[in-house]
Amino acid sequence: MTTTQDPAAAAERCIPEFRRNPHPVYEHLRDNQPVCPMKPPHGIDTYLITRYEDARAALSDPRLSKDMYGAMDAYRRIFGDSSVALDDHMLNADAPKHTRLRKLVNSGFTPRRVEALRPKIQGITDMLLDACPKREAFDLLPAFAFPLPITVICELLGVPEDERSDVQTWSTTVAQTGFSEESKRAQQQAEESLHRYFSDLIARKRSHPEEDLLSALTEARDKDGGLTENELVSTAFLLMFAGHKTTAYLIGNAVQHLLSHPAQLRAVQDDPELMGRAVEEVLRYDGSVESATFRFATEDVEMSGTRIPKGSLVQIAITSANRDPRKFDSPDEFDVSRPDNAQNAHIGFGNGSHYCLGAPLARMETQIALTSLLGRFPRLAFADPAQEPAWLQVPFPAFRGLSALPVVLEP
């Protein structure tokens, strides 16, 4: 996409040129119309927020609701009727419902519980790297970046190993948001399959509880009514869906940008203590969440001189906000030692009450993945350095990630 003086360029966020490099358009919008009215493919009037301070404020503004039932007509036009059965979870709720649901799930993501997963994550990482071809080109995403987080979240939830492939396939179909009738039918079938699966798995956990998060949530639901049955099924889906896709893309983006910036790669290899900062820089520079899940205005809201009318949908461009020069010095430079990330100033995991519950787990998985990959294979390289990165081509820019990442471990 060429950078145009027409802010309506935001409406073209789905075309291939933009997907390859959205940053010039976001820069133009930050400078010229930071709260930009647009008409996405779903046809509902939407306002796109692109500046850091506006985005950070919008993520925690109670006037911008996450309660999907308050915007049911708009929600159904975008996602269809079937999604409602799986979306009765905390990501689509305001307080006090959000507070209640998040409190129940918090127990699965305490620092102690997450840290206890470290040996398991390391073991899964080592197993996956052992199975990768060493001297021939292969796609790192299906071989490593995707299996790692989905295996970890399945372990956490208690999904049996021989059932994980189907769950991953259905989750992938749900994530491939499209607006054609064919796409909606495929999504509906996958959502129905996931709903049946988790309903059945919860029944099994109820009869034969184990030491996993889904058993604990099922017990809490039955003991004190902390969750309705549909909230329990929807929460299981949310943890599965959110727990692997974003982390897989984050790992892929990290490898892409480290290999594209040899000096930064050498810095991390020379000083493994930089890995934590490197992950934060990837989250800021090109994180896996391009836009936060939609909100809708429960009253008129003004931001940067633009009125967002009551009832409008709002999208918050995380990718744009994290490149805002009003907040970050030289934001288009990839710098693993960047000092302003030491305070975790980026909003790659959101802000406010909806701050990502799984952020500590995602950080740990990504650090272990990168440390192990680069430690074992210090000569890791692109299979074809001249090939352009294969960024996702999606009709709804929620994720920022690669569709393929061909590499050679030992060239």
Side-chain angles (χ1 to χ4, degrees), residues 49-60 280 283-285 287-292 316-324 327-328 340-341 343-352 354-356 363:
I49 295 173
T50 54
R51 284 184 184 171
Y52 176 88
E53 291 298 339
D54 289 339
R56 191 175 183 89
L59 286 166
S60 57
E280 299 306 313
L283 284 160
R284 184 203 67 82
Y285 183 79
S288 56
V289 177
E290 181 169 343
S291 293
I316 302 164
I318 304 295
T319 293
S320 174
N322 282 334
R323 293 274 192 113
D324 190 345
K327 176 63 180 179
F328 301 98
D340 43 10
N341 269 344
Q343 287 76 41
N344 194 23
H346 68 76
I347 53 173
F349 286 120
N351 184 49
H354 284 277
Y355 183 85
C356 178
R363 285 185 165 106

Coordinates of all heavy atoms in Angstrom, one line a residue, residues 49-60 280 283-285 287-292 316-324 327-328 340-341 343-352 354-356 363:
I49 N -7.8 3.5 16.5 CA -7.0 4.3 17.4 C -5.5 3.9 17.2 O -5.2 2.7 17.3 CB -7.4 4.1 18.9 CG1 -8.8 4.7 19.1 CG2 -6.4 4.8 19.8 CD1 -9.4 4.4 20.4
T50 N -4.7 4.9 16.9 CA -3.3 4.5 16.5 C -2.2 5.1 17.3 O -1.1 4.6 17.3 CB -3.1 5.0 15.0 OG1 -3.3 6.4 14.9 CG2 -3.9 4.2 14.0
R51 N -2.5 6.1 18.2 CA -1.4 6.7 19.0 C -1.3 6.0 20.3 O -2.3 5.5 20.9 CB -1.7 8.2 19.2 CG -1.4 9.1 18.1 CD -1.6 10.5 18.4 NE -1.4 11.4 17.3 CZ -1.6 12.7 17.3 NH1 -2.1 13.3 18.4 NH2 -1.4 13.4 16.2
Y52 N -0.1 6.0 20.9 CA 0.2 5.2 22.1 C -0.7 5.7 23.3 O -1.3 4.8 23.9 CB 1.7 5.4 22.5 CG 2.0 4.7 23.8 CD1 2.4 3.4 23.8 CD2 2.0 5.4 25.0 CE1 2.7 2.7 25.0 CE2 2.3 4.8 26.2 CZ 2.7 3.4 26.2 OH 3.0 2.8 27.4
E53 N -0.7 7.0 23.6 CA -1.4 7.4 24.7 C -2.9 7.2 24.6 O -3.6 6.8 25.6 CB -1.1 8.9 25.0 CG 0.3 9.2 25.4 CD 0.7 8.5 26.8 OE1 -0.2 8.2 27.5 OE2 1.9 8.4 27.0
D54 N -3.4 7.4 23.4 CA -4.9 7.1 23.2 C -5.1 5.6 23.3 O -6.1 5.2 23.9 CB -5.3 7.5 21.8 CG -5.3 9.1 21.6 OD1 -5.4 9.8 22.6 OD2 -5.3 9.5 20.5
A55 N -4.2 4.8 22.8 CA -4.4 3.4 22.8 C -4.4 2.8 24.3 O -5.2 2.1 24.7 CB -3.4 2.7 22.0
R56 N -3.4 3.3 25.0 CA -3.3 2.9 26.4 C -4.5 3.3 27.2 O -5.0 2.5 28.0 CB -2.0 3.5 27.0 CG -1.6 2.9 28.4 CD -0.3 3.4 28.9 NE 0.1 2.7 30.1 CZ 0.8 1.6 30.2 NH1 1.2 1.0 29.1 NH2 1.0 1.1 31.4
A57 N -5.0 4.5 27.0 CA -6.2 4.9 27.7 C -7.4 4.2 27.3 O -8.3 3.8 28.1 CB -6.4 6.4 27.4
A58 N -7.6 3.9 25.9 CA -8.7 3.2 25.4 C -8.8 1.8 26.0 O -9.9 1.3 26.2 CB -8.7 3.2 23.9
L59 N -7.7 1.2 26.2 CA -7.7 -0.2 26.7 C -8.3 -0.4 28.1 O -8.7 -1.5 28.4 CB -6.2 -0.8 26.6 CG -5.7 -1.1 25.3 CD1 -4.1 -1.3 25.3 CD2 -6.3 -2.3 24.7
S60 N -8.3 0.7 28.8 CA -8.8 0.6 30.2 C -10.0 1.6 30.4 O -10.4 1.9 31.5 CB -7.7 0.9 31.2 OG -7.1 2.2 30.9
E280 N 10.9 -8.5 25.0 CA 10.1 -7.3 25.1 C 10.2 -6.4 23.9 O 9.2 -5.8 23.5 CB 10.6 -6.5 26.3 CG 10.5 -7.3 27.7 CD 9.0 -7.8 27.9 OE1 8.1 -7.0 27.7 OE2 8.9 -9.0 28.3
L283 N 8.0 -7.8 21.2 CA 6.6 -7.4 21.5 C 6.3 -6.0 21.1 O 5.2 -5.7 20.7 CB 6.4 -7.6 23.0 CG 6.2 -9.1 23.5 CD1 6.4 -9.2 25.0 CD2 4.8 -9.5 23.2
R284 N 7.3 -5.1 21.3 CA 7.1 -3.7 20.9 C 7.2 -3.5 19.4 O 6.3 -2.9 18.8 CB 8.1 -2.8 21.7 CG 7.9 -1.3 21.4 CD 9.1 -0.5 21.6 NE 10.2 -0.8 20.6 CZ 10.2 -0.3 19.4 NH1 9.3 0.5 18.9 NH2 11.2 -0.7 18.5
Y285 N 8.3 -4.0 18.9 CA 8.6 -3.7 17.5 C 7.7 -4.4 16.5 O 7.3 -3.8 15.5 CB 10.0 -4.2 17.2 CG 10.6 -3.9 15.9 CD1 11.1 -2.7 15.5 CD2 10.7 -4.9 14.9 CE1 11.6 -2.4 14.3 CE2 11.2 -4.7 13.7 CZ 11.7 -3.4 13.4 OH 12.2 -3.2 12.1
G287 N 4.9 -7.2 17.6 CA 4.3 -8.2 18.4 C 3.3 -9.0 17.6 O 2.9 -8.6 16.5
S288 N 2.8 -10.0 18.2 CA 1.9 -10.9 17.5 C 0.4 -10.5 17.5 O -0.4 -11.0 16.8 CB 2.0 -12.4 18.1 OG 1.7 -12.4 19.4
V289 N 0.1 -9.5 18.3 CA -1.3 -8.9 18.3 C -1.3 -7.6 17.7 O -0.7 -6.6 18.2 CB -1.8 -8.8 19.8 CG1 -3.2 -8.2 19.8 CG2 -1.8 -10.2 20.5
E290 N -1.8 -7.5 16.5 CA -1.8 -6.2 15.7 C -2.9 -5.3 16.3 O -2.7 -4.1 16.4 CB -2.0 -6.5 14.2 CG -2.0 -5.2 13.5 CD -2.0 -5.4 12.0 OE1 -1.6 -6.5 11.5 OE2 -2.3 -4.4 11.2
S291 N -4.1 -5.8 16.5 CA -5.2 -5.1 17.0 C -5.9 -5.8 18.2 O -6.1 -7.0 18.1 CB -6.3 -4.8 15.9 OG -5.8 -4.0 14.9
A292 N -6.2 -5.0 19.2 CA -6.9 -5.6 20.3 C -8.3 -6.0 19.9 O -8.9 -5.5 18.9 CB -7.0 -4.6 21.5
I316 N -8.2 -0.9 18.5 CA -7.0 -0.3 19.0 C -5.8 -1.0 18.4 O -5.6 -2.2 18.5 CB -6.9 -0.5 20.5 CG1 -8.2 0.2 21.2 CG2 -5.7 0.2 21.1 CD1 -8.4 -0.2 22.6
A317 N -5.0 -0.2 17.6 CA -3.9 -0.7 16.8 C -2.7 -0.8 17.7 O -1.9 0.1 17.8 CB -3.7 0.1 15.6
I318 N -2.5 -2.0 18.3 CA -1.3 -2.2 19.2 C 0.0 -2.0 18.4 O 0.9 -1.4 18.9 CB -1.4 -3.6 19.8 CG1 -2.7 -3.9 20.5 CG2 -0.2 -3.9 20.7 CD1 -2.9 -3.0 21.7
T319 N 0.0 -2.6 17.2 CA 1.2 -2.5 16.3 C 1.6 -1.0 16.1 O 2.8 -0.7 16.1 CB 1.0 -3.2 15.0 OG1 0.8 -4.6 15.2 CG2 2.1 -3.0 14.0
S320 N 0.6 -0.2 15.9 CA 0.9 1.3 15.6 C 1.3 1.9 16.9 O 2.3 2.7 17.0 CB -0.4 1.9 15.1 OG -0.2 3.3 15.0
A321 N 0.6 1.7 18.0 CA 0.9 2.4 19.3 C 2.3 2.1 19.7 O 3.0 3.0 20.3 CB -0.1 1.9 20.3
N322 N 2.8 0.9 19.5 CA 4.1 0.5 20.0 C 5.2 1.0 19.1 O 6.4 0.8 19.4 CB 4.2 -1.0 20.1 CG 3.5 -1.6 21.3 OD1 3.4 -0.9 22.3 ND2 3.1 -2.8 21.3
R323 N 4.9 1.7 18.0 CA 5.9 2.4 17.2 C 5.7 3.9 17.2 O 6.2 4.6 16.3 CB 5.7 1.9 15.7 CG 6.1 0.4 15.4 CD 7.6 0.3 15.2 NE 7.9 -1.1 14.7 CZ 8.3 -1.3 13.4 NH1 8.5 -0.3 12.6 NH2 8.6 -2.6 13.1
D324 N 5.0 4.4 18.2 CA 4.7 5.8 18.3 C 5.9 6.6 18.8 O 6.4 6.4 19.9 CB 3.5 6.1 19.2 CG 3.0 7.5 19.2 OD1 3.7 8.4 18.6 OD2 1.9 7.7 19.7
K327 N 6.2 8.2 22.2 CA 6.5 7.4 23.4 C 7.9 6.8 23.4 O 8.6 6.7 24.4 CB 5.5 6.3 23.6 CG 5.7 5.4 24.7 CD 5.7 6.1 26.1 CE 5.9 5.1 27.2 NZ 5.9 5.8 28.5
F328 N 8.3 6.3 22.2 CA 9.6 5.5 22.1 C 10.6 6.3 21.2 O 10.2 6.7 20.1 CB 9.3 4.2 21.5 CG 8.3 3.3 22.3 CD1 7.0 3.2 22.0 CD2 8.8 2.6 23.4 CE1 6.1 2.5 22.7 CE2 7.9 1.8 24.1 CZ 6.6 1.8 23.8
D340 N 13.9 1.8 27.3 CA 12.5 2.2 27.6 C 11.6 0.9 27.7 O 10.4 1.1 28.0 CB 11.9 3.3 26.7 CG 12.2 3.1 25.3 OD1 12.7 2.0 24.9 OD2 12.0 4.0 24.5
N341 N 12.1 -0.2 27.3 CA 11.3 -1.4 27.5 C 11.6 -2.1 28.9 O 10.9 -3.0 29.3 CB 11.6 -2.5 26.4 CG 10.7 -2.3 25.3 OD1 9.7 -1.7 25.4 ND2 11.0 -3.0 24.1
Q343 N 10.9 -0.9 31.7 CA 9.7 -0.6 32.5 C 8.4 -1.2 31.8 O 7.3 -0.9 32.2 CB 9.5 0.9 32.7 CG 10.5 1.5 33.6 CD 11.8 1.7 33.0 OE1 11.9 2.1 31.8 NE2 12.9 1.4 33.7
N344 N 8.7 -2.0 30.8 CA 7.5 -2.7 30.1 C 6.5 -1.6 29.7 O 5.3 -1.8 29.9 CB 6.9 -3.7 31.0 CG 5.9 -4.6 30.3 OD1 6.1 -4.8 29.1 ND2 5.0 -5.2 31.0
A345 N 7.0 -0.6 29.0 CA 6.1 0.5 28.5 C 5.3 0.1 27.4 O 4.2 0.7 27.1 CB 7.0 1.7 28.2
H346 N 5.7 -0.9 26.6 CA 4.9 -1.3 25.4 C 3.5 -1.9 25.9 O 3.4 -2.3 27.1 CB 5.6 -2.3 24.5 CG 5.8 -3.7 25.2 ND1 4.8 -4.6 25.3 CD2 6.9 -4.2 25.8 CE1 5.2 -5.7 25.9 NE2 6.5 -5.5 26.2
I347 N 2.6 -2.0 25.0 CA 1.3 -2.5 25.3 C 1.0 -3.8 24.5 O -0.1 -4.1 24.1 CB 0.2 -1.5 25.1 CG1 0.2 -0.9 23.7 CG2 0.3 -0.4 26.2 CD1 -1.0 0.0 23.4
G348 N 2.0 -4.6 24.3 CA 1.9 -5.8 23.5 C 1.0 -6.8 24.2 O 0.4 -7.7 23.5
F349 N 0.8 -6.7 25.5 CA -0.1 -7.6 26.3 C -1.3 -6.8 26.7 O -2.1 -7.3 27.6 CB 0.6 -8.2 27.5 CG 1.6 -9.3 27.1 CD1 2.9 -9.2 27.4 CD2 1.2 -10.4 26.4 CE1 3.8 -10.2 27.1 CE2 2.0 -11.4 26.1 CZ 3.4 -11.3 26.4
G350 N -1.5 -5.6 26.2 CA -2.7 -4.8 26.6 C -2.4 -3.9 27.8 O -1.3 -3.6 28.1
N351 N -3.5 -3.5 28.4 CA -3.4 -2.6 29.6 C -4.7 -2.7 30.3 O -5.8 -3.1 29.8 CB -3.2 -1.2 29.1 CG -3.0 -0.2 30.2 OD1 -2.2 -0.5 31.1 ND2 -3.7 0.9 30.2
G352 N -4.7 -2.4 31.6 CA -5.9 -2.3 32.4 C -6.4 -3.7 32.8 O -5.6 -4.7 32.9
H354 N -8.0 -5.9 31.4 CA -8.0 -7.0 30.4 C -6.5 -7.3 30.0 O -6.3 -8.0 29.0 CB -8.8 -6.6 29.2 CG -10.3 -6.8 29.3 ND1 -10.9 -8.0 29.2 CD2 -11.2 -5.9 29.7 CE1 -12.2 -7.8 29.4 NE2 -12.4 -6.6 29.7
Y355 N -5.6 -6.8 30.8 CA -4.2 -7.2 30.5 C -4.0 -8.7 30.5 O -4.6 -9.4 31.2 CB -3.3 -6.6 31.6 CG -1.8 -6.8 31.4 CD1 -1.0 -6.0 30.7 CD2 -1.2 -7.9 32.0 CE1 0.3 -6.2 30.5 CE2 0.2 -8.2 31.8 CZ 0.9 -7.3 31.1 OH 2.3 -7.5 30.9
C356 N -3.3 -9.2 29.5 CA -3.2 -10.6 29.2 C -2.8 -11.4 30.4 O -1.8 -11.3 31.0 CB -2.2 -10.8 28.1 SG -2.0 -12.6 27.7
R363 N 5.8 -15.1 28.0 CA 7.2 -14.6 28.1 C 8.2 -15.8 28.3 O 9.2 -15.9 27.7 CB 7.4 -13.6 29.2 CG 6.8 -12.2 28.9 CD 7.1 -11.3 30.0 NE 6.9 -9.9 29.6 CZ 5.8 -9.1 30.0 NH1 4.9 -9.7 30.7 NH2 5.7 -7.9 29.5

